[in-house]
Amino acid sequence: MPNFIGKRNIFLIISGLLVIGSILSLTIFGLKSGIDFSAGSSLTVKFDIAPALADLNAKMRDLGHPEAVIQETGSGDFIIHLSVVTDAQKNSLETGLETSFGALTEEGFESIDPTIAGDTRKIAAGAIALAAVGILLYLTYAFRRMPKPLHYGTGAVIALIHDVIVVLGIFAILASVFHWEIDLVFVIGILAVLGYTVNNTVVIYDRIRENVLRGVAPTFEATVNRSVVETVVRSMNTSFTTIIAVLALMLFVGATVENLAIVMFIGILVGTYDSLFVAPAILVIWDNFDKRRLAPRVSRAGT
């Protein structure tokens, strides 16, 4: 039988490097807020004859919008991110573009003022924090019949934090290359990753609970390792089938769900890894720590 838990230090080192690299990535590249969080306007247009992206950028500067960030989608649309513009300014902008590049069709337009953007930031941060606290409380309650139920809830939350940091770090690198912005869809993707990871972790924790109650191994560490071995194929198969669905979103739906698909793709890969090799290892490390801490007291009580 593979000894995954026996190699826990290797997995923890890998996770540590991923987290450190992600924090460095966030520090160096940062995340660029979309209009949902920083206010602004977003205009989506399709030209009858699509211009070159460089020409479109130059024209936007000529039209008095040097701040514009233009994203070309796989379906041939151009998403133009701007500072807040009025309907009149938008119409003037479209007229200017049509004069240079020919007929265009407006596929979408949205504008968000700073007050709404500020409220959105607070709501998004609160939703993620509330989700983490809720998961901690729920798992602690769900495993209340086990010794040390807090270990299970805490282990799952540490895995969630690990996932969020790594997803943000990798997204920061990709965003710096492709000029992606974080928006509400991105937050939905993060919450979906939290849900997926906790589901995967609970499956493994449940198997640990069953095996502990059945007494299938002489030590807790051996029981955890056996539980991981028994669930590893199922977890990877579930992740593989989910990734196929996410790839379909990335390839066929387009830019409107691009952030969601990218975040979920990264999150599923990272979440599968830490659900199998990090969250169970935390239980073993914490249990061993408790035993070493309590050993002197047991020894004194026996003498």
Side-chain angles (χ1 to χ4, degrees):
M1 175 183 296
N3 187 6
F4 294 120
I5 296 301
K7 298 179 177 61
R8 59 183 176 275
N9 288 339
I10 296 175
F11 296 125
L12 293 176
I13 289 172
I14 293 173
S15 286
L17 292 175
L18 284 173
V19 170
I20 292 171
S22 298
I23 292 173
L24 287 175
S25 165
L26 287 167
T27 304
I28 295 170
F29 301 111
L31 293 171
K32 184 174 177 58
S33 297
I35 63 171
D36 290 338
F37 299 132
S38 61
S41 298
S42 176
L43 173 65
T44 303
V45 296
K46 179 188 281 293
F47 292 92
D48 288 353
I49 301 175
L53 188 59
D55 294 339
L56 191 53
N57 272 308
K59 187 60 183 176
M60 291 301 298
R61 289 194 293 272
D62 292 343
L63 293 172
H65 293 282
E67 83 287 4
V69 176
I70 304 174
Q71 180 183 359
E72 187 173 7
T73 72
S75 57
D77 294 346
F78 290 92
I79 303 175
I80 304 173
H81 304 282
L82 303 155
S83 56
V84 176
V85 296
T86 63
D87 286 343
Q89 290 171 319
K90 182 208 46 165
N91 293 335
S92 174
L93 175 61
E94 290 180 349
T95 301
L97 293 176
E98 282 186 317
T99 301
S100 297
F101 303 118
L104 63 80
T105 304
E106 180 184 318
E107 300 286 336
F109 176 72
E110 58 179 332
S111 190
I112 297 177
D113 66 42
T115 303
I116 295 176
D119 291 343
T120 303
R121 285 197 300 271
K122 293 175 185 175
I123 292 171
I128 294 175
L130 186 62
V133 173
I135 289 168
L136 172 64
L137 295 176
Y138 169 72
L139 287 184
T140 301
Y141 176 78
F143 288 87
R144 64 190 180 282
R145 299 186 190 284
M146 297 293 292
K148 307 166 186 172
L150 184 61
H151 288 196
Y152 293 85
T154 306
V157 170
I158 290 173
L160 295 183
I161 294 171
H162 169 277
D163 288 353
V164 171
I165 293 174
V166 174
V167 168
L168 291 177
I170 296 175
F171 190 88
I173 296 173
L174 295 174
S176 71
V177 176
F178 299 108
H179 307 295
W180 292 337
E181 298 176 337
I182 60 171
D183 52 18
L184 279 180
V185 174
F186 177 87
V187 175
I188 293 170
I190 290 290
L191 291 173
V193 168
L194 296 185
Y196 182 86
T197 299
V198 76
N199 178 66
N200 222 18
T201 303
V202 166
V203 168
I204 297 165
Y205 279 3
D206 258 339
R207 182 57 59 91
I208 294 172
R209 173 168 55 185
E210 293 172 7
N211 286 338
V212 167
L213 296 176
R214 289 166 52 203
V216 297
T219 65
F220 183 66
E221 180 173 335
T223 302
V224 172
N225 186 66
R226 175 167 174 160
S227 304
V228 172
V229 172
E230 290 174 349
T231 52
V232 66
V233 174
R234 173 184 171 181
S235 293
M236 288 188 172
N237 285 342
T238 302
S239 299
F240 177 70
T241 53
T242 310
I243 282 176
I244 290 176
V246 172
L247 286 175
L249 280 177
M250 294 170 64
L251 294 175
F252 300 114
V253 177
T256 53
V257 296
E258 189 175 58
N259 280 359
L260 174 69
I262 294 294
V263 167
M264 287 195 65
F265 181 80
I266 301 170
I268 289 170
L269 292 178
V270 178
T272 303
Y273 167 77
D274 74 34
S275 296
L276 285 169
F277 307 120
V278 177
I282 291 171
L283 296 181
V284 173
I285 292 169
W286 202 343
D287 185 70
N288 289 343
F289 174 78
D290 283 347
K291 287 175 181 174
R292 287 195 296 271
R293 184 169 57 87
L294 295 175
R297 300 180 192 178
V298 174
S299 177
R300 286 195 298 271
T303 57

